[in-house]
Amino acid sequence: MLAAVENKPASVEAKPVLRVEGLKAYYQMNYFGVRREVRAVDDVSLTIKRNEIYGIAGESSSGKSSLIKTIAGAITPPLRVVEGSVKFDFGGKELDVYAQRPAMKAARWKHLSYVMQGSMNVLNPVRKVKHAFHDFAFKHMGLSEGEFRARVESHLQRIGLDPRVLESYPHQLSGGMRQRLTIGLATVCEPEFIIADEPTTALDVLVQQDVLALIKGVQQRMGSSIIFVTHDMTVHAAIADRIGIVYAGRLVEEGPTLDVFQRPQHPYTAHLIASLPRIGDTRKRVALGGKPPNLADPPSGCRFHPRCPLAVDKCKSENPPLLARNTGRVACWRAGEVEAA
Amino acid sequence: MSALLELEDVNKDYRVGGFLDRSTLHAVKHVSFTLDAEKPEIFTVVGESGSGKTTTARMILGNETPTSGTLRFMGKGIAQVRTRKERLDFMSRVQPIFQNPFEAFNPLTTLDYYLFSTARRFLGLKDKAAVDAATDKALQHVGLSLAEVRGRYSHELSGGQLQRIAVARALIPGPKLIVADEPVSMVDASLRMSIVNLFRELRDTLGVSIIYITHDLSTAYYISDRVIIMHKGDVVEAGRAEEVLGNPTHEYSRALRSAVLPPDPVVASAIIREKLRAI
């Protein structure tokens, strides 16, 4: 059954489930008359198709977490949406995250769920796991208590957990089990769209592959879409269908995973991929010089230009637009001139 | 050959549990290895959480005493370091680098304070100009300068830069050995290589030996000369990096090796598909 959905037909992909258009979300602070604005998400447009896993990569403080928080509609001041829109399409019904608040609230967890970072801190330590399921999912499913319990148990069994974990406290479970539980929690309502923030970062290496396989398996079975964020490029390589690279709040490159890894168009992407260490290869890797940009005072023009080996004068003054190129999109005046390492 | 650091059948047990269900946890079991003083090297300890790698590091730093066995640094037992002078002398030759640079530095203290006080304490410098010069020299080794760091707080710098400053601080006393406990696990993948390359450089230019503790096999392969793999307190495999990580023989090290995903979409996605089929 899994093999059938693995090579999905093009017609299924046609209608995007998420459309982000010209999204700008800034941290706006005003302390004692001193205004400060941090442009964490700056003019990002992207679409995510049905049945697709989309990975967002970027260094810390590049704004990648702010981006998915904004997409989830889970932002609190000082982070505010300044411009643009986030629209979901759930079963033909359009849902604008920032214009239709009540509808958004009803859709949450049923159509759109969230796998949080750091499974250790998500579950309440003084309540049994079953209460977490009840709190999150019960009211969205419209089932009686007994049916709900049966549904949760069969769902847990499918993701490889003994239903007895429902009667335990979080500290009695291992890190891998807790991460499975948070994934189970996010998928029990079979949502169309799942947002995951660093789903494997806090895990021991030995369980990482199992958790990734679990995410991929759940996604394939339900045919849902996933957008996830991590700075670990090997995770992108393992499960993402497409990757978006974020640098200093902007999407600088996007494309199918294989193409991004094999033929990166943007110098930052090329560098990111060339610097990955591999077992069996001790050739010296060159680390990127310079420091990550300050988003409160970003460089002019292309934000990567102070660290870019290919920068020319134009890069310092003009911001390159994100344009279609080959199989993806790239924002660089010298796109494609980098040689894949 | 004279030994820089010798560990001989080192064990560490912890008592765990309360009054009724007391038991003993063997955190480190029969660990022995020797670092050569003439040949500086990067010696890597690989293991998961709970494997005893951090306990081993703490014993080498003298923060923890072994239950049995001996640790000797330059021929002298680490447990025999008693007086203040001996302790200072030992600390100036063995320096630590910690996992999380954001926790290692107090956010309310300027970073140069750590550098200046290290220079005053271990080099016995009194004169302001001499302290500045010593600090600047150490910062130059990590690709920074005092002008960039003076008066800055930890929140003003990135994780990679902070970790460089932590390395610079460790270099000020002119150590022979640096014990780095998970130095890159809190640093971004893109900046990770700059720290790891720095270790290589320190070994080659300053002749500093480094004990690199990590769970990340790919950087371990990239920089190590020798590797030991620890599992539940035991050393399950030891030897040259290419052999141990390239071609592991012990069951646990093989499992660890195959848990590493390569940064290659074709191979990595095939591994995940294989796992999926198995479920």
Side-chain angles (χ1 to χ4, degrees), chain A residues 6 59-60 204-206 209-210 212-213 217 234 237-238 258 261 275-276 279-285 287 291, chain B residues 48-49 161 188-190 193-194 197 200 218 221-222 255 257-259 261 263 265-266 268-269 271-273 275-276:
Chain A
E6 224 167 77
E59 51 193 354
S60 339
D204 258 340
V205 273
L206 286 179
Q209 283 184 7
D210 292 323
L212 289 176
T234 58
L258 196 60
F261 269 87
S275 70
L276 296 170
I279 289 184
D281 184 359
T282 52
R283 273 178 305 152
K284 190 156 175 156
R285 300 282 193 281
K291 56 182 173 198
Chain B
E48 281 186 277
S49 16
Q161 284 173 309
D188 254 350
S190 58
M193 292 319 279
S194 73
N197 280 338
R200 262 194 183 182
S218 28
Y221 187 95
Y222 177 64
R257 170 70 181 80
S258 63
L261 285 168
V266 181
S269 60
I271 293 173
I272 296 298
R273 270 204 299 277
K275 280 256 167 193
L276 255 180

Side-chain angles (χ1 to χ4, degrees), chain B residues 6-37:
Chain B
E6 286 169 278
L7 270 74
E8 245 177 54
D9 195 25
V10 171
N11 291 278
K12 179 73 190 176
D13 300 338
Y14 288 106
R15 289 261 188 83
V16 288
F19 182 62
L20 293 172
D21 57 348
R22 181 166 297 181
S23 60
T24 309
L25 174 79
H26 303 286
V28 173
K29 295 180 238 172
H30 311 292
V31 173
S32 307
F33 61 83
T34 307
L35 301 190
D36 191 343

Side-chain angles (χ1 to χ4, degrees), chain B residues 17 92 127 155 165 167 195 206 248 255 258:
Chain B
S92 71
D127 179 27
H155 69 263
I165 292 172
V167 176
I195 303 290
L206 298 179
S258 63

